[in-house]
Amino acid sequence: MSGCPYFEKRHLLFKNKPPTAEGEEDASQAGVNKASKGGIIYGEYLQLDKIVSAQVLQSELKGNKIHDEHLFIVTHQAYELWFKQILWELDSVRHIFITGCVRDERNMLKVNNRIHRIVMIFKLLVDQFSVLETMTALDFFDFREYLAPASGFQSLQFRILENKIGVPDNLRVPYNRRHYRDNFKGHESEMLLATEQEPTLLKLVEEWLERTPGLEVDGFNFWERLEINIFDGLNKEKEKIEAMEDSEDKEEMMLELIKQKELFTSLFDEKRHDHLLSKGERRLSFKALQGALMIYFYREEPRFQVPFQLLTSLMDIDTLMTKWRYNHVCMVHRMIGSKAGTGGSSGYHYLRSTVSDRYKVFVDLFNLATFLVPRHWVPKLNPNIHKFLYMAECCDSSYCSSEDSD
Amino acid sequence: MSGCPYFEKRHLLFKNKPPTAEGEEDASQAGVNKASKGGIIYGEYLQLDKIVSAQVLQSELKGNKIHDEHLFIVTHQAYELWFKQILWELDSVRHIFITGCVRDERNMLKVNNRIHRIVMIFKLLVDQFSVLETMTALDFFDFREYLAPASGFQSLQFRILENKIGVPDNLRVPYNRRHYRDNFKGHESEMLLATEQEPTLLKLVEEWLERTPGLEVDGFNFWERLEINIFDGLNKEKEKIEAMEDSEDKEEMMLELIKQKELFTSLFDEKRHDHLLSKGERRLSFKALQGALMIYFYREEPRFQVPFQLLTSLMDIDTLMTKWRYNHVCMVHRMIGSKAGTGGSSGYHYLRSTVSDRYKVFVDLFNLATFLVPRHWVPKLNPNIHKFLYMAECCDSSYCSSEDSD
Amino acid sequence: MSGCPYFEKRHLLFKNKPPTAEGEEDASQAGVNKASKGGIIYGEYLQLDKIVSAQVLQSELKGNKIHDEHLFIVTHQAYELWFKQILWELDSVRHIFITGCVRDERNMLKVNNRIHRIVMIFKLLVDQFSVLETMTALDFFDFREYLAPASGFQSLQFRILENKIGVPDNLRVPYNRRHYRDNFKGHESEMLLATEQEPTLLKLVEEWLERTPGLEVDGFNFWERLEINIFDGLNKEKEKIEAMEDSEDKEEMMLELIKQKELFTSLFDEKRHDHLLSKGERRLSFKALQGALMIYFYREEPRFQVPFQLLTSLMDIDTLMTKWRYNHVCMVHRMIGSKAGTGGSSGYHYLRSTVSDRYKVFVDLFNLATFLVPRHWVPKLNPNIHKFLYMAECCDSSYCSSEDSD
Amino acid sequence: MSGCPYFEKRHLLFKNKPPTAEGEEDASQAGVNKASKGGIIYGEYLQLDKIVSAQVLQSELKGNKIHDEHLFIVTHQAYELWFKQILWELDSVRHIFITGCVRDERNMLKVNNRIHRIVMIFKLLVDQFSVLETMTALDFFDFREYLAPASGFQSLQFRILENKIGVPDNLRVPYNRRHYRDNFKGHESEMLLATEQEPTLLKLVEEWLERTPGLEVDGFNFWERLEINIFDGLNKEKEKIEAMEDSEDKEEMMLELIKQKELFTSLFDEKRHDHLLSKGERRLSFKALQGALMIYFYREEPRFQVPFQLLTSLMDIDTLMTKWRYNHVCMVHRMIGSKAGTGGSSGYHYLRSTVSDRYKVFVDLFNLATFLVPRHWVPKLNPNIHKFLYMAECCDSSYCSSEDSD
């Protein structure tokens, strides 16, 4: 950034001292510092020779240079830079989960911050459309012919991103009547297949939710207690309504109550859950759903405050990705209209079909809002449980606490 | 962008047909189209091999990989990408002015749109700080030692941008007690010197304003008419006040009137203007200032609508650059505190000193707000002048109207 | 705004002087100024007693004060304030069109600025969701029971806004299985009906587009010339393709060409247009569509620069309204999940159904992107026409030029 | 919000049931529900009659209606609405601190969320300037005379907000050469004085930081350990440098080291701290500063994760308030220029002087960035201390856990 002399001289003092090697340095090391004093400068550090030389206009190559193509290129490159950053954060978070380091609750701050950073990047990416929208359909028309068959669909990083978060293969909308992977070259197609087979963020969060403290049947047994409370509550409602004088309202309330009962019966019905899971309408296991609801209800307990923030940020990512898709649709509508020029798939309609809950990975976290209950129906915690929910788990593995765990 | 099949097949039909060569195409040309059908794909088009491989962490090279350094790199690369785009737009606009094509008023839309695009990019760049702000001072501390002596001050593109817009050499705050150019290597320093010597956007806009139709002394003679109206108006005020009964208010109003008279006397005082100019407190010539005020007052006349938008956008750029500087200051305050660690210049204080009206290139356009007058003091246009202000100038040079003029 | 002493004393001098009454002021008037010197202060001016006392929590009235209800109220009030501002701008623009003042092209700046202001307000309103999103589903659940049956659907101003822009009655999605108006009380329902019967912005823009200079059959006759050029162009393409050697590519290109021909044939087919119009798939008259396309193609001509900006801003409004709807959907998904608790309409699904091109008023302006052609197919302007497109029309009615025209 | 049927019928079931009174409801209560079924509707709930009728144009009252005054009014009203919301959040947070409920760490989530909400509101308020900026200086000039002597400085809510956060009386820039309170009427001036005497957010956070677990001299004794580690570290550096061969670099490094030693000596010098405190250059007590640094260094420990987020959000508020002030300055520059029209204070220069670190309440949290040290200098936690920092404190007072605590 311009004019920012971040780097005070004093830091030379600390140079080249990895935390684990503090005693080993000697005077010769200090000499090395001296040698590197010339150091690196801004442009080399950022490899600007690559970055700012990568704008080659196809229109210019074809002898008809169109001014706005430069904007088109730079905007897409900026998107790809940020996709790379998102992947960087995503991989580090997945690594913390995969290695089990997430069990050391000290790592939750890191997980949370990095997921939050992804949220902030997606916010920027949603706003970034406003720049490309300074190009009109007519400006675009002047050079779009030169770009065929390049297509934004071919953004490998974006597809990998979707895969790593957890957009499942079988819920994807086909593109050009072909499986999404078949639109990529062999090498890239293999990379995509590989990322499909790695543990997704969804899967990792699911496993973590299944371990939510308090779910243990021989412990607090949240799920059973909740079921009891809810149906007790509904039965009391029923009695109150039955005691009312007959009226249209009474009837209506009774019908309502019956529907409520059905709704909550469905919540506790594991078979139904598994059925919805098989259809892709739910994504989290029955146990993970219980964990999420437990965190929702006891979010103020110290151990659940940061996990609750995490669940909120995961919904933020889903929301922002869907807003990104929708803003993309709006831009394409403006650029090429809603009709496919000629047979073949219409870009507009393909994109529109991806603005769907099928592409919302953490859709279950949203839908839990359907199953909220009054605070006094939530099972009360006794002092023991309180204490339990105050006491973080620690795994003192140096492996997890060192910075290079990611 | 992901999933965007912008490029319908039909465009193959129009391929390789520059507007100027329509008749020359033959069947062999069509054959070329066919050959290129394989065409270019997304990743090649955007040269993503360069873009997404340019993130090398110094901390990793030094054996102590710090996760957040990746964000630091990507953010700065994104800034540089956008700086390149701003320079692209800025150069094209300056080209239109330099070649005289701006005299063909058809080119005003282009000028306006491109300047507006710079505005939209700067808005994004101001917002972009929110991403880097997800890194705390403590995260930054972990790797900032590895970066010395790289510094954002060394962003060549940003300095060129300032020069091309019109930040003058002599108003710059010294950095590390040295002339700004001396902080760059020989080759870069020469490039900077060269851009200082090219016509700046400020200079080009000034020349254009000096030609504002209506300023001609032997024509509408705006400036003289305005002077007459203003002093007539003030005299009428004076008479009214003098007719009032004596009171504290009367005295106050009279004092006020005297100050007003002084203010407007200063507006028409060319010598005083030139004095302020020599001190850097004004930047536009006396004539250009007249043109700007004329455009302000008659902004609704058809010929002045787009010029008025242009003046507004130029102020937007100044405002956004100063907001960018200020947001930068805020971030640096958070990252390294306000004290220089140790002797040497403090980054925080250097940056803060650049958030100054000295760095506002179009400061005169803002300050004209001091010289506004009631609508009924503005010289009336007669039908001839109306017509005159309705009739755009055309320069039918094919040079200017062809797309490659930029 | 805090700390802003906008109002310099000198303005006392100009006080109470409407432009039309300049001569009539006398000393007694000046005396009035003096009397009013105490003047109005900030809080009174803004009627803050009303504004900041209008937050009454239903939960508190019901004896169970929930902190977050205050945010819910303030957010909605802020939306309504801005809706009022949008209506203010919209009515003033419609007034300029209805009174014919738009024929004085001096008023185009005003029209453009006000439409652009609506765009900027909608941008803010889209961003404003980020504040309400700090409330979680669980926070909302604590008080939502107290609000029944109040519903955002009942925002009268928003429905009026939709009507005045041009969302047609017959394309609206029914709400709770009832006509949208039937969800309002009698008095409000009548207001809605009345606004349906006033000229919409869509209608007014349509009439204005129909008068686009250059469409005259006995003049430049844009439409016929365009038709000729396009089919000439396509025929030349055909010849070129026919001259190619037989190949798969040749076949493909020929098929493509046929589709292109069909597409453009449809563009010039008035009957088909009227059919689409009757189904609500098009909204602008055939003539107005021609005008819009003419402005698109000759947008750089001085007379068309501002009209072109206007068309762009109208698309911006549509886009932002649809983004607003979509952001609203996303928030509701998070707040109440996707399932209706119990019979009755699901808020989520109702809202989702309004994120549709049926609610895009200026959809035709987007879809024109389908009918763009290479620059060399656009009919050439000769010098006469050039001059014609440089010369704004003036209507010197003092009615239109005075500020109270709006 | 438009079209949002948040309120499913089923909630009728839970109506009027405060959590503490669950058993007491009887059939007659249910009858009440029925009666209220008509319930409240949107417009009444939001008191829209007050909100949308509060726009009275002074220009219209004075017989010269100026269109843009409506925007001016609505924008300021929107600011005041949001100021009220910020005060609502701020008061609730201060209440949690004042009543001691903050000692129950379950309340940290609430504190954090509400402070974060203030952050989100300020972000919106910074963006909101973009709407008012659609008004040009010339539009503003047409009505600003009518507003005197109203001034944004007179925003009572904003001054109260500053006081409650902790902008101290004695660091304020005088306005119109008068004490800030003297610019308000008697009644308002008293309110301001009262808020100066209430505990500020700064003061409350300070007390909370002073209690940071781990500071106890007879416990972990963070401060002494840190001092030892830092000076040990610096001495080792010194030895290493002394062992180097003589050279210019060696000298430079030695000078550097001496400065570092001075810097850190100052950190541990309580007298110097108190001196800076008395001058207003520091704001937090010596003990509180220690607490903040402890939280910084051990932010990943479960008990400190949320406190660390809180410190970050407090800096966000400061940063956003200063950005708000700066954006305000930029707008005023554009609206009235930089010169005071006539004697008296210049609005522009007054506002500019408030964009100062004097108005940054939590400036110490920023400046701590100066005192960061390498991770291996931070005192190591042993397992006991780990456990200690994992175990939240609980205060089981029902007073604090019930929702009405705020």
Side-chain angles (χ1 to χ4, degrees), chain A residues 72-89:
Chain A
F72 189 80
I73 293 172
V74 164
T75 306
H76 284 79
Q77 288 173 335
Y79 274 116
E80 291 290 337
L81 266 183
W82 289 117
F83 292 159
K84 175 145 197 223
Q85 184 62 35
I86 292 172
L87 286 169
W88 179 262
E89 303 297 343

Side-chain angles (χ1 to χ4, degrees), chain A residues 59-172:
Chain A
S59 59
E60 194 169 11
L61 291 182
K62 305 277 169 59
N64 183 25
K65 181 177 142 192
I66 303 296
H67 178 85
D68 279 14
E69 192 186 344
H70 198 280
L71 177 71
F72 189 80
I73 293 172
V74 164
T75 306
H76 284 79
Q77 288 173 335
Y79 274 116
E80 291 290 337
L81 266 183
W82 289 117
F83 292 159
K84 175 145 197 223
Q85 184 62 35
I86 292 172
L87 286 169
W88 179 262
E89 303 297 343
L90 192 56
D91 281 341
S92 89
V93 167
R94 288 169 61 247
H95 183 81
I96 292 172
F97 277 101
I98 289 169
T99 56
C101 291
V102 73
R103 287 168 191 264
D104 180 347
E105 296 180 25
R106 281 175 295 185
N107 285 313
M108 283 307 293
L109 185 70
K110 217 177 265 176
V111 167
N112 224 35
N113 285 350
R114 292 174 188 179
I115 291 291
H116 175 68
R117 184 174 291 161
I118 296 175
V119 170
M120 296 308 288
I121 296 172
F122 267 119
K123 273 195 184 154
L124 183 77
L125 299 190
V126 169
D127 289 345
Q128 198 166 295
F129 282 105
S130 62
V131 176
L132 196 50
E133 283 168 356
T134 62
M135 186 172 81
T136 66
L138 295 119
D139 299 323
F140 183 45
F141 186 85
D142 283 341
F143 66 91
R144 68 178 179 170
E145 51 169 318
Y146 302 119
L147 310 187
S151 153
F153 185 87
Q154 297 159 350
S155 168
L156 184 64
Q157 288 197 118
F158 192 75
R159 297 296 153 225
I160 289 177
L161 179 56
E162 288 180 327
N163 284 347
K164 288 191 172 181
I165 289 179
V167 172
D169 181 35
N170 60 329
L171 293 180
R172 285 184 179 276

Side-chain angles (χ1 to χ4, degrees), chain A residues 10 17 34 249 260, chain D residues 10 17 34 237 249 260:
Chain A
R10 73 153 154 134
K17 259 181 300 177
K34 178 191 158 188
D249 264 15
Q260 281 295 305
Chain D
R10 74 153 156 133
K17 261 180 301 177
K34 176 194 160 189
E237 290 295 328
D249 264 13
Q260 280 296 305

